[in-house]
Amino acid sequence: MLGYRLDEIKGNLLNDLLFNKDTPILDPNELHKTMAENHSINEEMEIRTKKGDLLAVLVNITPILDYELNPEKYISIISDISVQKENERALVRQEKKIESQKLLLETKNEQLQVTLDELRKVKINRKSLFFSITTAIVLVILTEAFIDPIIDEYSSFNVYISLSGKILIALMLKPMENVYERILLKRAVNLKSDSI
């Protein structure tokens, strides 16, 4: 698994062959204490192959006890878990990517909501403007058809009264437009809250 032959490792310390200064290894005191208590050791670590590649392994050291429960010998099994560790790292990368996409999607959703709110306001402004223009036309037609003939018949200042009536209508249009706009805005807010 590590690429060594027996004659290459004979007489060498495993720490010198398998670990470098940056790689954490099992604490020898902890190792001896655990082995003295006849407990198994299960540790994940990274070791170096003969070529210098990093290899993720699971080291299992199990004591074999005699009839008096003293350790007779130890069996050590080193399992290559590099693929599992790479899969775990890939999963973490994927989770980070998903989280990043989720944040991006939430940002886009907020921007879309702002855009929709702006479009609603524009639509409301358009409706209120249409309402004002329609109201103005209707009021001018009503004044021309019904009120102006009465003013012409009973008043010598008919031109001034008719003009002041039209100015009064013009002045009243903006407050009426504002009231209608508030009504439309309130309806839009109620529709929005109902859809949520």
Side-chain angles (χ1 to χ4, degrees):
M1 179 167 57
L2 303 174
Y4 290 102
R5 296 189 318 270
L6 183 59
D7 61 315
E8 292 175 315
I9 60 171
K10 194 171 182 180
N12 290 309
L13 293 173
L14 286 179
N15 286 356
D16 296 338
L17 291 173
L18 304 180
F19 303 103
N20 62 22
K21 294 174 185 173
D22 302 329
T23 309
I25 60 172
L26 292 173
D27 179 12
N29 295 329
E30 223 23 71
L31 180 64
H32 290 294
K33 181 182 172 194
T34 304
M35 291 173 79
E37 293 171 354
N38 300 329
H39 294 300
S40 291
I41 296 170
N42 249 350
E43 287 288 331
E44 289 182 5
M45 60 180 65
E46 285 188 338
I47 57 177
R48 294 214 172 264
T49 64
K50 182 180 176 181
K51 292 179 181 177
D53 300 328
L54 273 179
L55 191 67
V57 294
L58 175 64
V59 177
N60 176 272
I61 303 173
T62 305
I64 305 299
L65 306 176
D66 62 15
Y67 292 112
E68 295 175 359
L69 299 180
N70 294 318
E72 188 177 345
K73 57 184 171 181
Y74 296 90
I75 294 180
S76 179
I77 299 173
I78 300 175
S79 306
D80 182 357
I81 57 169
S82 298
V83 173
Q84 175 187 339
K85 285 296 173 187
E86 181 51 40
N87 288 341
E88 287 174 7
R89 286 191 288 271
L91 186 61
V92 168
R93 285 193 301 269
Q94 190 67 26
E95 285 174 352
K96 285 181 182 175
K97 189 176 179 182
I98 288 170
E99 190 61 34
S100 171
Q101 292 293 329
K102 181 181 170 190
L103 288 173
L104 182 65
L105 190 61
E106 286 173 357
T107 304
K108 293 285 184 191
N109 196 21
E110 287 171 8
Q111 291 171 349
L112 182 62
Q113 192 59 49
V114 168
T115 305
L116 286 174
D117 288 343
E118 290 300 319
L119 286 173
R120 281 190 197 101
K121 286 178 186 174
V122 167
K123 188 176 178 183
I124 286 170
N125 290 339
R126 224 179 14 224
K127 281 184 176 180
S128 62
L129 182 63
F130 178 75
F131 171 76
S132 297
I133 292 171
T134 306
T135 306
I137 291 170
V138 168
L139 289 175
V140 167
I141 291 171
L142 288 175
T143 2
E144 289 291 329
F146 298 107
I147 297 175
D148 280 356
I150 295 171
I151 292 172
D152 287 345
E153 189 174 322
Y154 294 106
S155 173
S156 58
F157 300 104
N158 58 359
V159 174
Y160 300 113
I161 294 173
S162 177
L163 182 61
S164 60
K166 288 179 177 75
I167 291 172
L168 182 65
I169 289 171
L171 290 174
M172 290 300 294
L173 284 177
K174 187 61 181 167
M176 287 170 43
E177 181 182 339
N178 290 343
V179 169
Y180 187 66
E181 197 171 292
R182 274 191 235 122
I183 291 168
L184 290 174
L185 191 58
K186 191 173 181 181
R187 281 185 192 162
V189 168
N190 288 341
L191 284 174
K192 185 178 173 185
S193 62
D194 288 345
S195 66
I196 293 173

